[in-house]
């Protein structure tokens, strides 16, 4: 684990609290404040990405959290086979029509080579050990597959906020 990557503790607590009905990600989540406009833009981006997938494509979402990216894509494309993984061992219930698996590091994915047509991540990849995560992404991605990432700037205020938050939770 890199020194810049928070350990699983804060994320486990965050998603476990959401699974128990605590403060939901829709009430601010990992951002310092909730923005309906930002969320609408994210949803639109994932709807557009879903439209580019081949029929019945298998897609893996890294650092899936509550599975919202998968939920947004499924709203556009009911035929997609959607799986999300997250380092946190306990996650909220999976959105209907998707599968979520907790306790899985994106640096060590438990899937065979060439399994997925696409790999996505929204605000997760930048918290990983990038070299290992990129290698695992490439390994599980089919030839000609697609990767779509929304990331926080590594030198930006959101990543700094989340690092401080993780230290406070620890």
């Amino acid at each position: 684990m890199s020194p810049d990557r928070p350990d699983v503790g804060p994320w486990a607590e965050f998603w476990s609290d959401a699974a128990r009905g605590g403060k939901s990600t829709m009430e601010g989540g990992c951002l310092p404040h909730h923005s309906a406009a930002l969320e609408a833009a994210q949803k639109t981006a994932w709807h557009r990405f879903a439209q580019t997938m081949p029929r019945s494509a298998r897609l893996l979402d890294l650092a899936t959290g509550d599975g919202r990216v998968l939920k947004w894509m499924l709203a556009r494309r009911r035929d997609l086979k959607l799986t999300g993984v997250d380092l946190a061992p306990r996650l909220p219930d999976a959105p209907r029509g998707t599968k979520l698996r907790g306790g899985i590091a994106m640096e060590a994915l438990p899937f065979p080579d060439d399994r997925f047509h696409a790999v996505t991540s929204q605000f997760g990849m930048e918290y990983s050990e990038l070299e290992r995560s990129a290698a695992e992404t490439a390994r599980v991605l089919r030839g000609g597959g697609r990767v779509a990432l929304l990331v926080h700037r590594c030198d930006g205020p959101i990543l700094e906020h989340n690092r401080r938050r993780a230290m406070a939770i620890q």
Side-chain angles (χ1 to χ4, degrees), residues 42-43 46-47 49-50 53 57-86 91-101 116 118-122:
Q42 293 164 0
K43 183 177 180 179
W46 293 118
H47 280 177
F49 185 75
M53 292 291 91
R58 283 189 303 274
L59 185 139
L60 176 65
D61 187 43
L62 303 173
T64 199
D66 62 0
R68 76 177 50 203
V69 168
L70 301 177
K71 180 180 177 181
W72 289 334
M73 286 196 269
L74 194 62
R76 279 286 183 229
R77 293 281 306 277
R78 303 294 301 168
D79 63 296
L80 298 176
K81 311 299 181 222
L82 303 171
T83 301
V85 297
D86 200 285
L91 300 172
D93 292 339
R96 188 179 192 116
T98 69
K99 295 178 186 174
L100 300 185
R101 295 178 59 185
F116 297 96
V119 176
T120 61
S121 183
Q122 175 171 290

Side-chain angles (χ1 to χ4, degrees), residues 127-142:
Y127 294 96
S128 74
E129 294 178 33
L130 288 175
E131 190 172 310
R132 289 179 58 205
S133 297
E136 279 295 274
T137 296
R139 182 185 65 76
V140 301
L141 192 64
R142 287 181 157 204

Side-chain angles (χ1 to χ4, degrees), residues 7-49:
D7 72 24
V8 70
W11 298 114
E13 180 62 28
F14 180 78
W15 291 119
S16 182
D17 183 53
R20 290 189 306 265
K23 182 177 179 183
S24 79
T25 57
M26 300 305 278
E27 296 168 340
C30 62
L31 298 174
H33 54 81
H34 179 73
S35 167
L38 177 60
E39 187 156 323
Q42 293 164 0
K43 183 177 180 179
T44 298
W46 293 118
H47 280 177
R48 288 180 179 159
F49 185 75

